[in-house]
């Protein structure tokens, strides 16, 4: 019997042969991922800058077919390709043009079918990835030939901004060739519905002493906004500033001074009742905690805050487990919110009466959004992590146990044990993977309870909001959680409280609840493009455009107003055009459009001349006044 291999060299060779295939497989995987990433960028460029209508998972055959169609060929579904009569006619007409420059008598210049040849590849000047196309033959510019070439190419002259193409003519082999720079034909919004535009004020416009910071500088910026016909501004009224030191001791001084300035400029006000902490999230540049007296209660009773499975507390906002628990110096959470809002209504009565305050938006969770704080940066979350469920404070756990007992399955009174961590991906977990526990009997029970707790919280707070601000428009903001939208489970939405897997509409119940209180739905991320997300984070399987369309239609279907704001800072025309597309959907048979749009946010960068002129153009198009930019004669310093 052979106990072991007596030839160590042969053993080493065998190990090497076994390890090489494994290493080669890894290299092959890396090469394949690299190839797919390059292909994705190529396809994204063709879609964005070439106007190619390519499906999401297009391959090289789709690209070849698109190029053939652009050239005037007919491409059948089975791939059969042949020249169309238009393409043949164009070839014949060009071949009949003599070197002298005038068309052949056989080819009348006014009847060429080529003049209607569709032109692709147009994009805005200076757009990313745009490149000039050289060597397009144009006959010498005699009067008749110039007419034909201008009609054919859509060119009116070098440097003419009104032409389809801009560019200059060069000589190539004794002939003339036009250097064509593609320019996007933008949609003309003249005559479209008027959508009011508001601008969010800086987070720190009011300091912790409730004093207005830099009133002179703010006045100058507001005057500039007024000069381009911005309708108004949005401001957060921070609970942590106004009721900072003792229950029901309110200080509104800084806000009164701010509101007076806004009214003097004849601007409108959207006011946010901000019952959350500021600081620690994307875009936060100041720190405004919850009131000191609330933090003191939290030190002795940390269960007033949201808690994850590992027991980490999140002091961004109060858990809705205490909405009806008298743990805040004898008051419930919703009573605290109502007392705050009622005091605001009394203190600022004159601004309601004269119409300066046009809308109240009530904060319903972290960042003022209706959601669980499922992806806190302070706990290590990074995009595009799925986040974690936030139902492990004693109050929400008690609610879950009671719901499980009512259902007759007391063992279900617990959170999922296989849902991963903040930065997990769906396929890495047993709960969110395809065919995972999220769609089991227990999973459907838990997610139904989790999402209904969110809706019930909003229902309670909005009932009191409507009572406090009777006769005033109210709104609630819903977060745009677009990552993992193209998976079956929609994991990031589930942990945030939106029960919206691929086989269920998770936003219809929210829209119905808002309809009950005549509240508008304010939705974020309308400036994001799905293709950009695929370029930057292809692994996130995000689809902001699909999410926006779903949420807007859920709200419009029940007949409530839909407002919106951008999720990230936006200064470029591409982002503004995307907002406009969502604000005023083209060819909507019902003429639906956003009720208002709020821009995030007033800053020195926005006030830079180029950015401000671009923003002015955007405002005019939102107002439905102009299709093109009319420069505002303002000296900006």
């Amino acid at each position: 019997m052979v106990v072991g291999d007596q030839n160590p060299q042969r053993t080493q060779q065998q190990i090497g042969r076994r390890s090489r295939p494994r290493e080669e497989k890894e290299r092959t995987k890396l090469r394949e991922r690299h190839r797919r990433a390059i292909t994705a960028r190529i396809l994204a460029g063709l879609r964005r800058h070439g106007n190619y209508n390519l499906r999401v998972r297009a391959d090289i055959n789709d690209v070849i077919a698109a190029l053939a169609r652009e050239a005037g060929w007919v491409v059948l579904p089975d791939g059969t390709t042949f020249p169309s009569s238009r393409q043949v006619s164009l070839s014949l007409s060009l071949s009949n043009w003599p070197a002298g420059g005038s068309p052949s008598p056989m080819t009348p210049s006014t009847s060429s079918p080529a003049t209607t040849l569709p032109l692709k590849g147009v994009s805005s000047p200076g757009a990313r990835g745009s490149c000039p196309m050289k060597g397009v033959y144009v006959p010498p510019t005699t009067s008749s030939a110039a007419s034909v070439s201008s009609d054919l190419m859509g060119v009116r002259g070098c440097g003419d901004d009104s032409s389809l193409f801009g560019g200059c003519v060069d000589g190539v082999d004794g002939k003339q060739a036009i250097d064509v720079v593609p320019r996007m034909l933008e949609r003309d919004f003249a005559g479209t519905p008027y959508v009011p535009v508001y601008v969010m004020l800086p987070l720190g416009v009011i300091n912790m002493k409730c004093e207005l910071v830099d009133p002179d500088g703010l006045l100058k910026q507001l005057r500039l906004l007024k000069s381009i016909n911005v309708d108004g501004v949005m401001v957060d009224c921070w609970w942590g500033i106004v009721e900072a030191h003792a229950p029901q001791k309110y200080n509104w001084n800084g806000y009164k001074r701010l509101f007076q300035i806004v009214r003097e400029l004849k601007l409108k006000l959207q006011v946010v009742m901000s019952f959350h902490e500021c600081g620690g999230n994307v875009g936060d540049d100041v720190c405004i905690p919850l009131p000191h007296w609330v933090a003191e209660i939290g030190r002795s009773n940390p269960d007033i805050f949201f808690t994850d499975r590992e027991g980490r507390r999140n002091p961004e906002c109060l858990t809705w487990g205490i909405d009806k628990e008298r743990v805040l110096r004898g008051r419930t959470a919703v009573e605290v919110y109502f007392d705050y809002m009622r005091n605001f209504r009394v203190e600022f009565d004159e601004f309601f009466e004269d119409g300066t305050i046009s809308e109240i938006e009530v904060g319903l969770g972290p960042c003022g959004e209706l959601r669980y704080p499922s992806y806190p940066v302070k706990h290590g979350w990074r995009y595009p992590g799925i986040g974690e469920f936030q139902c492990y404070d004693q109050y929400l756990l008690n609610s879950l146990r009671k719901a499980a007992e009512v259902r007759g399955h007391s063992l279900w009174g617990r959170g999922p044990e296989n849902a991963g961590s903040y930065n997990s991906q769906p396929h890495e977990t047993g709960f969110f993977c395809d065919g995972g526990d999220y769609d089991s009997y227990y999973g459907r029970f838990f997610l139904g309870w989790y999402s209904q707790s969110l809706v019930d919280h909003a229902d309670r707070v909005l009932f009191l909001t409507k009572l406090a601000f009777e006769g005033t428009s109210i709104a609630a903001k819903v977060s745009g959680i677009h990552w993992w939208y193209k998976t079956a489970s929609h994991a990031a939405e589930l942990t945030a409280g939106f029960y919206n897997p691929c086989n269920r509409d998770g936003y219809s119940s929210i829209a119905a609840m808002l309809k009950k209180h005549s509240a508008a739905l304010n939705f974020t991320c309308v400036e994001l493009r799905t293709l950009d997300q695929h370029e930057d984070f292809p692994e996130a399987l995000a689809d902001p455009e699909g999410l926006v369309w779903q949420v807007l239609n859920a709200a419009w279907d029940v007949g409530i107003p839909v407002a919106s704001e951008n999720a990230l800072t936006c200064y470029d025309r591409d982002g503004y055009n995307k907002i406009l597309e969502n604000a005023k959907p083209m060819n909507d048979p019902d003429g639906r459009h956003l009720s208002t749009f709020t821009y995030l946010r007033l800053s020195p960068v926005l006030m830079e001349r180029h950015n401000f002129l671009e923003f002015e153009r955007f405002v005019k198009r939102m107002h439905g006044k102009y299709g093109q930019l009319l420069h505002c004669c303002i000296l900006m310093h």
Side-chain angles (χ1 to χ4, degrees):
M1 180 176 65
V2 179
V3 176
D5 196 330
Q6 303 300 317
N7 189 341
Q9 182 177 2
R10 184 173 63 186
T11 302
Q12 194 67 29
Q13 290 172 349
Q14 291 172 345
I15 294 173
R17 282 195 297 270
R18 286 196 299 268
S19 63
R20 275 197 297 272
R22 188 179 301 109
E23 295 173 357
E24 184 61 32
K25 286 181 181 178
E26 292 300 322
R27 285 196 294 268
T28 301
K29 288 180 180 178
L30 288 174
R31 286 195 296 269
E32 181 64 18
R33 281 199 291 268
H34 185 60
R35 184 192 66 77
R36 285 200 299 267
I38 293 175
T39 303
R41 285 175 169 79
I42 292 172
L43 297 177
L46 289 172
R47 292 188 190 96
R48 185 187 305 168
H49 305 302
N51 289 345
Y52 288 96
N53 185 20
L54 300 174
R55 57 192 177 93
V56 174
R57 299 188 181 276
D59 57 20
I60 190 62
N61 293 325
D62 297 299
V63 176
I64 293 173
L67 291 170
R69 291 189 185 97
E70 179 186 354
W73 291 61
V74 175
V75 182
L76 299 180
D78 65 354
T80 303
T81 306
F82 54 86
S84 67
S85 57
R86 174 182 295 176
Q87 193 263 350
V88 173
S89 175
L90 173 61
S91 300
L92 290 173
S93 64
L94 288 177
S95 65
N96 285 330
W97 282 353
S102 58
S104 165
M106 297 170 58
T107 314
S109 62
T110 58
S111 60
S112 172
T115 57
T116 59
L117 186 67
L119 295 171
K120 284 183 175 283
V122 286
S123 62
S124 59
R128 292 173 294 174
S130 62
C131 62
M133 298 183 293
K134 290 182 178 289
V136 180
Y137 174 75
V138 178
T141 54
T142 59
S143 58
S144 57
S147 173
V148 174
S149 62
S150 296
D151 289 339
L152 176 63
M153 298 304 302
V155 178
R156 300 183 184 175
C158 182
D160 187 351
D161 284 344
S162 62
S163 63
L164 175 62
F165 295 103
C168 298
V169 177
D170 296 326
V172 180
D173 297 331
K175 301 177 181 179
Q176 284 188 322
I178 186 165
D179 187 9
V180 181
V181 180
R183 174 172 298 170
M184 178 68 74
L185 287 178
E186 292 184 317
R187 179 181 164 193
D188 187 350
F189 286 89
T192 56
Y194 185 103
V195 176
V197 177
Y198 288 73
V199 175
M200 292 186 203
L201 295 184
L203 291 170
V205 68
I206 303 291
N207 64 22
M208 290 302 298
K209 297 179 181 179
C210 203
E211 299 169 336
L212 179 60
V213 177
D214 189 18
D216 293 335
L218 179 64
L219 178 61
K220 181 180 178 180
Q221 291 179 327
L222 292 181
R223 282 174 174 163
L224 285 171
L225 293 179
K226 180 65 178 179
S227 70
I228 62 170
N229 295 316
V230 165
D231 296 270
V233 294
M234 172 181 276
V235 61
D236 291 272
C237 280
W238 294 102
W239 183 31
I241 291 177
V242 175
E243 197 181 359
H245 303 293
Q248 296 181 281
K249 300 295 182 182
Y250 307 105
N251 176 10
W252 303 102
N253 292 336
Y255 290 105
K256 288 180 179 178
R257 178 72 184 106
L258 171 62
F259 289 11
Q260 288 167 356
I261 292 175
V262 172
R263 179 168 60 182
E264 289 167 3
L265 292 173
K266 293 182 172 54
L267 291 168
K268 299 290 185 180
L269 269 167
Q270 292 175 324
V271 183
V272 184
M273 302 286 103
S274 297
F275 297 113
H276 61 282
E277 175 190 76
C278 179
N281 286 305
V282 176
D284 291 348
D285 54 6
V286 299
C287 181
I288 304 171
L290 296 186
H292 299 311
W293 61 273
V294 173
E296 290 176 2
I297 296 173
R299 280 189 282 272
S300 59
N301 181 12
D303 282 293
I304 68 172
F305 301 124
F306 283 103
T307 309
D308 63 19
R309 186 174 183 81
E310 289 75 29
R312 288 171 290 196
R313 313 290 183 172
N314 190 332
E316 282 188 72
C317 60
L318 301 178
T319 171
W320 23 89
I322 65 169
D323 277 358
K324 297 187 287 186
E325 300 287 339
R326 297 191 177 279
V327 295
L328 300 176
R329 304 280 178 88
R331 292 186 294 167
T332 67
V334 292
E335 287 173 344
V336 170
Y337 304 148
F338 177 67
D339 290 341
Y340 180 91
M341 293 186 289
R342 182 173 57 181
N343 188 265
F344 176 86
R345 179 61 181 84
V346 172
E347 288 290 328
F348 294 95
D349 178 69
E350 59 181 298
F351 296 94
F352 285 94
E353 294 300 320
D354 65 16
T356 299
I357 296 178
S358 60
E359 182 180 81
I360 296 293
E361 181 176 291
V362 59
L364 296 171
C367 299
E369 299 169 338
L370 176 60
R371 63 174 176 87
Y372 288 86
S374 57
Y375 49 97
V377 174
K378 65 184 70 177
H379 288 167
W381 174 85
R382 296 293 180 269
Y383 182 86
I386 60 175
E388 290 191 22
F389 293 112
Q390 304 289 316
C391 59
Y392 295 93
D393 61 83
Q394 63 166 320
Y395 302 103
L396 284 178
L397 280 178
N398 287 338
S399 172
L400 176 59
R401 293 189 191 105
K402 290 179 182 177
E405 290 172 1
V406 170
R407 178 67 185 271
H409 298 281
S410 57
L411 292 178
W412 288 358
R414 54 177 175 77
E417 298 177 352
N418 58 348
S421 59
Y422 286 111
N423 293 310
S424 296
Q425 298 189 6
H427 63 271
E428 299 171 343
T429 73
F431 192 81
F432 298 114
C433 66
D434 289 350
D437 290 344
Y438 79 93
D439 205 26
S440 66
Y441 288 109
Y442 159 73
R444 291 195 293 271
F445 160 77
F446 171 77
L447 292 171
W449 167 83
Y450 190 73
S451 61
Q452 191 59 46
S453 296
L454 177 78
V455 175
D456 289 345
H457 165 70
D459 188 25
R460 287 189 287 266
V461 176
L462 286 172
F463 173 80
L464 295 175
T465 303
K466 188 176 180 181
L467 189 62
F469 299 109
E470 185 177 1
T472 302
S473 298
I474 61 174
K477 182 160 71 169
V478 176
S479 180
I481 301 181
H482 52 81
W483 53 104
W484 306 116
Y485 189 84
K486 289 191 173 184
T487 62
S489 63
H490 293 222
E493 291 170 86
L494 296 185
T495 59
F498 305 128
Y499 192 5
N500 190 53
C502 63
N503 58 354
R504 188 180 188 277
D505 183 359
Y507 297 98
S508 58
S509 60
I510 294 174
M513 179 272 300
L514 294 175
K515 172 74 171 180
K516 173 182 173 182
H517 301 290
S518 303
L521 186 152
N522 183 13
F523 195 64
T524 61
C525 80
V526 291
E527 84 285 8
L528 300 181
R529 294 181 181 273
T530 297
L531 286 175
D532 292 339
Q533 296 298 311
H534 281 303
E535 285 184 4
D536 298 335
F537 297 95
E539 73 279 8
L541 296 176
D543 187 7
E545 294 179 39
L547 176 63
V548 167
W549 191 242
Q550 180 186 357
V551 175
L552 264 58
N553 278 279
W556 280 330
D557 285 347
V558 299
I560 61 174
V562 183
S564 191
E565 60 188 51
N566 49 308
L568 303 174
T569 53
C570 176
Y571 306 109
D572 63 285
R573 188 169 298 185
D574 284 346
Y576 288 139
N577 285 343
K578 186 61 186 174
I579 294 170
L580 283 158
E581 290 173 18
N582 287 319
K584 306 175 183 184
M586 183 181 286
N587 300 326
D588 188 295
D590 302 310
R592 301 175 300 185
H593 56 85
L594 294 183
S595 58
T596 60
F597 175 79
T598 304
Y599 175 81
L600 174 87
R601 118 181 11 254
L602 181 61
S603 68
V605 179
L606 176 64
M607 307 311 286
E608 293 174 4
R609 181 173 180 81
H610 173 75
N611 292 336
F612 194 72
L613 289 174
E614 199 64 54
F615 182 65
E616 174 202 2
R617 180 183 191 273
F618 166 71
V619 171
K620 291 182 183 298
R621 301 178 83 192
M622 288 292 279
H623 287 171
K625 291 186 177 180
Y626 303 103
Q628 302 296 327
L629 172 64
L630 296 182
H631 290 283
C632 181
C633 299
I634 299 175
L635 294 177
M636 302 179 62
H637 302 285

